[in-house]
């Protein structure tokens, strides 16, 4: 019996979109409202929001400024929403995404509490078969993954976790009712962007917070503030300027990288500029000099500045030394920004443990044991990151032509073209997939570009009677080489233990995954391909001959 007929429920569609975060929501708008396609978005959570639905940990806040971290495709949408702070907090972003869902009536095409388990391409019918954990199935001409880059939580395999008598949580799977830290001894593993946001807030209520740091990290103050009425009005009056600005910068941010070199700036002046950037706060610290990410010597000047700040802020010299013993260039890993992170170590109820010097050996019934001590804990917080970029895609059993498995094609790393398509998987598009600017760009900007490009491509296909679009192994090989080449021109590729390379997941191939050439050139490449009738893809009119 054909697979579809044996299913509990079966629906046939033009497109299935997997995930209802920023990406899935906008893809739905593009395909349903602009192209008139039948679309279903399948979402594992019980609401929209993706990253902002799952990451409800204390202190969760966006690192991009609110006026640049939203959809910009509709000026009326922008004028209808008002951000309250320079960096929006998770609940506010979730409210925003619900406002978008309401405004465009998105929920009627989103099926919640639905986890996609497999997607299989049926060559005879030229259709994808998508199955869910509940045994539902969908067929569609197109499958578009909008699964996010940082959505597969990494809980490290530390022996003994199952024996722990207290409670434990991963920041990316945070309980919706929150966690009460009052009177509790809390241990937090991880000092990436998440741990750095969470520690100061956990410390406010916990009886004691012990932070287990393996790799010391830079952080720059966010300098979060409420937005003034004047700035809120400026946003409403300048929606076009904001949209344009975020499209003209390499990383989709509303600020430009300064056209001056750290190494050509006299030391005193350089210090003054870093000081100014530190006071201004935020990710633009990285934009202080244009050679910061290209020259180790230039980067050292920024790195030393931040390390000096850490030593000034943290009063205990031993703790300050552990926090400032940073082994990689500034922004060589994703640079966090914070609110009172280093200051938190001056509190009496916060302890830093250097687990590089004395590694974690086990989780015991009572807490965490390192090679030189045992720490008694009531709660363990894993701020240990994600199986980034490939993890969410490989969590779905995806098979293409001839039963080809995505996990086999990607055994040695994510082969793809433009981060959008994989050879052997026709009509499957991966929004912000590995090989695209994605995590190196302000996410909504990267997402809007991908969703619009995919919609334009489908429109072109439909107008020209084309049934399938796919890339080739040669195009993938060329693109992967390009991704490596552009990364090798930056200091990003010199950091061997970053999640950009998959190094945080044991056994994961070490391949630099995001495209580091910048959003502007990437957009030009994609636009050029579209303008030439998608000539670098294989377009086929092979029509279906028989039902699946
Ligand atoms: O995860 P991470 P994250 N034992 O992988 C440590 C985005 N984000 O959730 O560096 C001990 O960066 C690990 O140590 P090490 C942003 O893109 C955005 O913080 O591997 N420690 C590291 O300290 C970010 O980059 C925002 O030695 C272990 C930490 O856990 C990305 O999400 C906010 C360990 C993981 O850091 C991921 O950030 C937050 C072990 N076994 C995040 N395993 C906003 O902008 C891991 N670690 C809103």
């Amino acid at each position: 019996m054909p697979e579809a007929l044996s299913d509990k429920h079966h629906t046939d569609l033009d497109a299935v979109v997997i995930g209802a975060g920023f990406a899935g929501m906008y893809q739905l708008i593009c395909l349903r409202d602009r192209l008139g396609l039948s679309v279903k978005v399948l979402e594992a959570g019980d609401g929209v929001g993706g990253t902002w639905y799952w990451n409800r940990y204390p202190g969760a806040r966006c690192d991009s400024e609110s006026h640049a971290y939203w959809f910009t495709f509709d000026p009326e949408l922008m004028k209808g929403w008002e951000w309250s702070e320079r960096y929006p907090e998770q609940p506010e972003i979730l409210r925003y995404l619900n406002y978008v869902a309401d405004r465009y009536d998105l929920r009627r095409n989103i099926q919640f509490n639905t986890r996609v388990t497999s997607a299989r391409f049926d060559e005879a019918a030229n259709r994808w078969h998508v199955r869910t954990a509940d045994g539902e199935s969908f067929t569609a001409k197109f499958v578009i993954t909008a699964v996010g880059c940082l959505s597969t939580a990494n809980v490290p395999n530390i022996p003994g976790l199952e024996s722990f008598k207290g409670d434990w949580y991963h920041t990316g799977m945070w309980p919706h009712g929150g966690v009460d830290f009052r009177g509790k001894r809390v241990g937090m593993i991880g000092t990436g962007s998440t741990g750095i946001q969470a520690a100061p807030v956990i410390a406010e209520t916990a009886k004691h917070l012990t932070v287990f740091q393996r790799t010391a990290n830079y952080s720059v103050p966010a300098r979060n503030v409420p937005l003034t009425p004047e700035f809120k009005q400026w946003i409403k009056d300048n929606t076009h300027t904001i949209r344009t600005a975020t499209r003209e910068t390499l990383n989709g941010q509303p600020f430009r990288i300064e056209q001056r070199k750290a190494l050509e700036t006299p030391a005193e002046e350089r210090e003054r500029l870093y000081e100014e950037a530190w006071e201004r706060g935020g990710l633009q610290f990285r934009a202080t000099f244009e050679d910061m990410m290209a020259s180790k010597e230039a980067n050292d000047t920024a790195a030393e500045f931040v390390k000096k700040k850490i030593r000034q802020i943290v009063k205990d010299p031993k703790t300050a030394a552990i926090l400032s013993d940073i082994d990689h260039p500034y922004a060589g890993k994703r640079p966090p920004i914070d609110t009172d992170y280093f200051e938190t170590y001056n509190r009496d109820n916060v302890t830093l443990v250097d687990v590089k010097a004395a590694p974690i050996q086990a989780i015991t019934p009572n807490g965490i044991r390192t090679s030189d001590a045992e720490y008694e804990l009531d709660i363990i917080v894993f701020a240990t990151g994600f199986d980034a970029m490939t993890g969410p895609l490989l969590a779905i059993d995806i098979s293409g032509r001839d039963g080809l498995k995505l996990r086999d094609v990607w055994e040695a790393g994510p082969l793809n073209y433009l981060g959008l398509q994989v050879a052997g998987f026709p009509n499957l598009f991966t929004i912000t997939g590995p090989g695209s600017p994605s995590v190196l760009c302000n996410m909504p900007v990267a997402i809007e570009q991908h969703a619009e490009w995919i919609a334009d491509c489908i429109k072109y296909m439909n107008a020209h009677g084309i049934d399938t679009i796919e890339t080739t192994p040669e195009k993938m090989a060329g693109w992967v080489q390009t991704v490596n080449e552009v990364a090798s021109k930056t200091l990003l590729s010199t950091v061997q233990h970053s999640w950009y390379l998959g190094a945080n997941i044991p056994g994961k191939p070490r391949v630099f995954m995001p495209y580091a050439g910048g959003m502007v050139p990437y957009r030009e490449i994609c636009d050029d391909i579209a303008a030439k009738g998608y000539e670098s893809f294989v377009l086929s009119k092979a029509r279906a001959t028989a039902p699946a």
Side-chain angles (χ1 to χ4, degrees):
M1 190 193 292
E3 187 190 64
L5 299 181
S6 69
D7 288 323
K8 198 165 65 169
H9 309 288
H10 175 80
T11 311
D12 189 51
L13 299 152
D14 291 320
V16 165
V17 176
I18 308 173
F22 265 97
M25 292 170 69
Y26 186 45
Q27 193 68 78
L28 174 58
I29 292 169
C30 292
L31 297 183
R32 184 194 68 182
D33 300 347
R34 297 184 195 157
L35 302 190
L37 302 187
S38 61
V39 185
K40 181 79 87 178
V41 179
L42 304 177
E43 164 57 51
D46 69 3
V48 298
T51 285
W52 301 105
Y53 173 90
W54 299 104
N55 284 268
R56 299 174 187 233
Y57 60 86
R61 192 181 279 285
C62 186
D63 286 350
S64 293
E65 296 193 34
S66 52
H67 71 284
Y69 193 83
W70 56 348
F71 290 119
T72 61
F73 63 85
D74 179 353
E76 294 312 310
L77 174 70
M78 296 169 83
K79 286 179 189 151
W81 181 258
E82 206 167 83
W83 294 110
S84 67
E85 293 179 278
R86 181 176 177 190
Y87 301 96
E89 241 185 326
Q90 176 270 336
E92 188 171 16
I93 304 175
L94 197 56
R95 278 199 302 280
Y96 166 72
L97 288 168
N98 276 285
Y99 152 76
V100 175
D102 290 341
R103 189 175 172 115
Y104 297 95
D105 191 13
L106 297 185
R107 286 189 201 80
R108 77 184 146 93
N109 292 82
I110 304 176
Q111 186 169 314
F112 295 107
N113 301 306
T114 303
R115 184 170 290 281
V116 171
T117 50
S118 71
R120 176 180 67 80
F121 184 64
D122 175 348
E123 290 206 57
N126 259 336
R127 292 189 92 68
W128 281 92
H129 289 241
V130 176
R131 279 180 160 271
T132 73
D134 288 342
E136 264 187 281
S137 83
F138 299 83
T139 45
K141 182 170 173 180
F142 299 100
V143 169
I144 297 136
T145 63
V147 290
C149 297
L150 297 158
S151 51
T152 305
N154 167 42
V155 179
N157 190 13
I158 302 173
L161 178 57
E162 67 294 339
S163 72
F164 182 54
K165 286 191 298 199
D167 297 318
W168 67 267
Y169 308 95
H170 185 282
T171 50
M173 302 183 294
W174 202 256
H176 287 193
V179 175
D180 188 355
F181 293 108
R182 280 175 303 180
K184 306 284 188 193
R185 296 161 301 171
V186 182
M188 188 185 77
I189 305 177
T191 52
S193 302
T194 301
I196 282 175
Q197 285 186 333
V201 184
I202 296 174
E204 275 170 23
T205 53
K207 182 174 173 200
H208 195 90
L209 171 66
T210 306
V211 178
F212 296 85
Q213 172 193 283
R214 187 165 63 185
T215 305
N217 212 343
Y218 301 94
S219 186
V220 168
R223 310 272 182 227
N224 186 41
V225 284
L227 296 183
T228 61
E230 293 73 31
F231 192 72
K232 288 179 184 174
Q233 190 56 47
W234 180 88
I235 295 173
K236 287 189 198 301
D237 295 341
N238 288 278
T239 53
H240 180 70
T241 308
I242 292 167
R243 180 175 163 85
T244 309
T246 54
R247 267 149 193 74
E248 287 177 350
T249 56
L250 285 179
N251 50 14
Q253 295 289 354
F255 54 83
R256 290 181 179 281
I257 296 169
E258 298 292 345
Q259 299 299 296
R260 60 185 175 220
K261 290 189 166 46
L263 294 179
E264 290 174 2
T265 306
E268 211 170 297
E269 171 68 355
R270 194 169 59 209
E271 201 68 1
R272 191 188 67 75
L273 291 167
Y274 281 139
E275 198 65 58
E276 231 175 64
W278 180 269
E279 284 311 314
R280 200 178 313 119
L283 288 174
Q284 57 266 57
F285 187 85
R286 187 177 40 175
T288 311
F289 294 104
E290 64 174 352
D291 50 351
M292 254 162 80
M293 293 312 295
S295 147
K296 169 79 169 60
E297 220 185 326
N299 190 286
D300 283 348
T301 64
E304 280 314 313
F305 179 87
V306 179
K307 290 177 187 177
K308 186 186 72 189
K309 285 287 183 194
I310 298 170
R311 289 190 289 265
Q312 282 170 0
I313 295 168
V314 179
K315 296 198 176 105
D316 172 46
K318 193 168 161 242
T319 305
I322 298 167
L323 287 167
S324 60
D325 183 18
I326 308 174
D327 65 0
H328 52 277
Y330 174 73
K333 294 168 91 166
R334 158 71 152 74
I337 62 173
D338 69 275
T339 300
D340 295 337
Y341 174 63
F342 294 115
E343 289 82 350
T344 294
Y345 292 97
N346 294 333
R347 296 177 67 113
D348 293 337
N349 69 334
V350 176
T351 310
L352 179 70
V353 175
D354 180 359
V355 296
K356 184 163 264 174
I360 295 175
Q361 290 187 329
I363 294 177
T364 65
N366 297 323
I368 293 180
R369 194 179 68 229
T370 66
S371 60
D372 66 359
E374 180 163 357
Y375 298 86
E376 292 204 353
L377 303 167
D378 304 305
I379 295 176
I380 299 175
V381 174
F382 288 94
T384 44
F386 303 89
D387 181 355
M389 307 200 75
T390 54
L393 290 164
L394 293 178
I396 304 168
D397 180 14
I398 301 178
S399 47
R401 288 193 192 281
D402 300 322
L404 185 68
K405 296 275 186 193
L406 184 65
R407 70 170 70 100
D408 292 333
V409 180
W410 284 6
E411 201 181 357
L415 289 170
N416 66 76
Y417 183 45
L418 301 170
L420 272 167
Q421 270 221 326
V422 184
F425 299 81
N427 293 359
L428 172 73
F429 296 102
T430 52
I431 301 182
T432 62
S436 71
S438 60
V439 292
L440 297 178
C441 182
N442 181 18
M443 267 303 196
V445 176
I447 285 167
E448 283 191 342
Q449 186 265 343
H450 260 189
E452 286 166 8
W453 191 94
I454 292 165
D456 287 346
C457 175
I458 291 176
K459 184 177 176 191
Y460 178 93
M461 289 173 70
N462 288 348
H464 292 80
I466 291 160
D467 291 298
T468 57
I469 179 166
E470 60 187 306
T471 188
T472 63
E474 294 72 31
K475 286 288 171 200
M476 292 200 299
W479 185 250
V480 169
Q481 194 181 340
T482 302
V483 170
N484 284 328
E485 276 168 14
V486 291
S488 70
K489 290 184 188 141
T490 74
L491 295 174
L492 294 170
S493 63
T494 66
V495 182
Q496 292 309 311
H497 52 74
S498 103
W499 61 255
Y500 292 150
L501 279 123
N504 61 329
I505 303 296
K508 187 165 172 171
R510 303 277 170 104
V511 175
F512 192 85
M513 293 184 286
Y515 172 77
M519 200 59 213
V520 174
Y522 178 80
R523 187 190 298 275
E524 279 169 14
I525 293 167
C526 293
D527 286 352
D528 186 53
I529 288 167
K532 291 177 179 154
Y534 305 90
E535 63 171 18
S536 59
F537 287 86
V538 177
L539 305 177
S540 148
K541 293 194 178 186
R543 289 213 168 267
T545 51

